Every structure is written in structure tokens, then in C-alpha cells.
Amino acid sequence: YGFLNFTLTEDNNGCIGTDQVMVGMFQMPVADAGLDADNCGNQYALQATPSVGNGEWLYSGEISPTPGIANKNAANTGVVVPVYDSYTFLWIEKNPGICPADTDKVEITFYELPKAKAGPDTAVCALSTELHGAASAGLGTWSKISGPGNAFYADINRDTTAVTVTVEGDYIFEWKEVNGPACVTSSDQVSVKF
């Protein structure tokens, strides 16, 4: 790639003429924005594979406010999103000269890290009570960790729900939250004496 000089020489019965032309040859850029991904949290490292020329990251979407890109001209750069959602980013590469730009896109889905809270320990003079968990993100589920009897929930997936047990005693219940494929599970336990 680069510039090449060509000379054309013509001989017409001893009358010689020459002409020169310079031809520029440029490499076509091939943009590679990286693989789509699921991410836990609101920060991510975009990872393009640069080919030739200059690259630039752009956000392609309608979510407002728009995400912040740390260095839009760096192939590997950080991004911070204001809202947990799916975002599409474009990596555009241009090589000086007459070659057209090439574009590739990557979609990153951002999930909020769950922070499960099962509520305060308590004691009641009955076989039923209200569990007072606090939902943060994703899908939550109640389960009985220990206790002498069975437990039945009004809504096993609601953070604040009624629970009824079959036998008096000390019970431990767990509120567990899962949010997206990229985040770890968060859980918290509460002790209830019936």
C-alpha cells in the first residue's frame, strides 16, 4: 500500500513520448466492534479490534441521557450508562484516501447488581407473619433454610409477603435475587420465631 509511479513510453517510428502517472493504493478498513455481551453494573470496557486508519465509537440509540464514552477514538475504552438497558455502540473506521469507512456494531446489555435484603428478625405468637424483604433488582424468591415444619408463602416472588408455617419453632428464611446472566446472585436471611 502506498503510492506507485508508472511510466508509459511509446515509440512511433523513432518519435518517443513518455508520460507518468502516480497511483495511490490504500487498504480498506475492516471494522470489528467486538462481541455482544451481558454486563453486571453500569460500566463496561468496549473492545474493538482496529484494522487500519482511524476509529471512532458512537452510541446508536434513543436512550436519554446518552452513555458516556471515555475516549471515542480509542479501540478499547470505557463506557458508563445512565440507565440499565441494552445499548448499541458503533465502531467506525476510516483510512485516509478514497476508501469508504467501514462500520461494525456491538450490543451490550447492562444489568443492575442485586442487593437482597430479607428484613429484620422477628418473633410472633402465631403460625403466620409478614416477611419484610426489600427488592432491589431482578427476580426475587423466598425459601425456607431451616425450621421444624413446612412453610407456605402468599407470593414466593414478592419481597413483602405472608408466610405460614405448620409447626411452632425457630425458622430461617432466605430472600434471593437474580438479575440477568452476568450478575451474581444476592441473598439475605431473616430469622423468625413462631
Side-chain angles (χ1 to χ4, degrees), residues 65-82:
T66 60
I69 299 173
N71 182 348
K72 68 179 187 171
N73 297 113
N76 299 313
T77 189
V79 63
V80 178
V81 298

Side-chain angles (χ1 to χ4, degrees), residues 32-49 57 67-71 74-81 87 89 91 106-110:
D32 181 357
L35 300 175
D36 295 347
D38 293 314
N39 183 68
C40 189
N42 69 335
Q43 299 179 30
Y44 185 77
L46 296 171
Q47 300 171 0
T49 302
W57 283 106
I69 299 173
N71 182 348
N76 299 313
T77 189
V79 63
V80 178
V81 298
Y87 291 80
F89 298 94
W91 174 246
V106 64
E107 184 172 324
I108 310 299
T109 303
F110 294 85

Side-chain angles (χ1 to χ4, degrees), residues 75-142:
N76 299 313
T77 189
V79 63
V80 178
V81 298
V83 178
Y84 293 102
D85 208 332
S86 291
Y87 291 80
T88 300
F89 298 94
L90 303 177
W91 174 246
I92 303 167
E93 286 189 345
K94 301 173 187 170
N95 193 10
I98 62 171
C99 295
D102 192 39
T103 302
D104 190 27
K105 68 180 179 178
V106 64
E107 184 172 324
I108 310 299
T109 303
F110 294 85
Y111 295 93
E112 183 176 359
L113 178 65
K115 296 177 185 112
K117 293 181 182 164
D121 295 343
T122 188
V124 296
C125 293
L127 292 177
S128 292
T129 190
E130 191 84 11
L131 296 173
H132 296 283
S136 64
L139 174 66
T141 305
W142 283 106

Side-chain angles (χ1 to χ4, degrees), residues 1-6 20-26:
Y1 299 103
F3 291 95
L4 299 174
N5 288 314
F6 293 95
Q20 290 188 340
V21 64
M22 182 183 291
V23 176
M25 299 178 68
F26 300 94

